[in-house]
Amino acid sequence: MDFLEKSKDSAISILETVKRKKLVRRYLIIIISLFISACYFNLLQLPSQIVTGGSTGVSIILNSYFEIEPSKVIFAISIVLLLVGFIFLGVEKSSGAVVSTIVYPFFVELTSNIGNYISVDLSDKILISIFLGILSGVTTGMVYKVW
């Protein structure tokens, strides 16, 4: 009987370790995809003024009219959406969004000068739109695959 209890405790310990490793991997992939998203936002989307949906699109519009920093707009909209998610979905289902709410605006601010180091020809808007769609699809797919 003692052997069975030790085996059960050992199995639970192994499962908890695997669960923790999966959680760390999940958040690491989300953070990598958020960094890639922030890079293409500041390198392609913001300078070419291509407005897409969501908080990034609103931040581009507000930046062009009122010169408000995009990272602040994205953060404010993300906080509001996070609160709405907590209300309607609950804390458990919305807890993963906390990381995105904090990290993505931080990365947008961190990579805001990336255009000074990497030169991109922004004259062909259709080509930029295609690249934005591909990059957006890849980064969103990365998040959906691990979540």
Side-chain angles (χ1 to χ4, degrees):
M1 202 63 161
D2 200 31
F3 175 74
L4 290 175
E5 286 181 29
K6 287 182 182 179
S7 297
K8 183 179 174 184
D9 291 340
S10 169
I12 290 172
S13 174
I14 291 171
L15 289 174
E16 287 175 0
T17 304
V18 168
K19 190 175 182 181
R20 248 185 272 125
K21 284 182 181 180
K22 282 186 176 182
L23 190 64
V24 168
R25 180 179 175 270
R26 187 180 289 173
Y27 281 112
L28 184 65
I29 289 174
I30 288 171
I31 288 171
I32 290 169
S33 70
L34 291 172
F35 182 75
I36 294 168
S37 296
C39 287
Y40 76 72
F41 173 78
N42 281 314
L43 193 61
L44 298 172
Q45 194 170 0
L46 184 62
S48 62
Q49 299 290 302
I50 295 177
V51 177
T52 58
S55 60
T56 56
V58 173
S59 71
I60 291 171
I61 292 169
L62 291 177
N63 179 267
S64 66
Y65 283 113
F66 304 111
E67 296 184 11
I68 301 172
E69 290 182 37
S71 60
K72 292 179 181 174
V73 174
I74 292 169
F75 184 68
I77 293 172
S78 296
I79 290 289
V80 170
L81 293 175
L82 181 66
L83 293 174
V84 170
F86 281 147
I87 292 168
F88 290 107
L89 299 175
V91 174
E92 187 176 312
K93 294 208 181 219
S94 301
S95 62
V98 173
V99 173
S100 298
T101 299
I102 295 167
V103 172
Y104 184 63
F106 173 73
F107 282 159
V108 168
E109 184 65 32
L110 186 71
T111 61
S112 63
N113 293 325
I114 196 168
N116 297 339
Y117 304 105
I118 301 172
S119 176
V120 177
D121 181 18
L122 300 171
S123 62
D124 192 353
K125 300 282 187 191
I126 301 228
L127 188 59
I128 292 171
S129 297
I130 291 169
F131 277 118
L132 285 173
I134 291 169
L135 290 169
S136 176
V138 167
T139 55
T140 303
M142 287 170 59
V143 172
Y144 285 145
K145 183 162 174 69
V146 297
W147 213 255

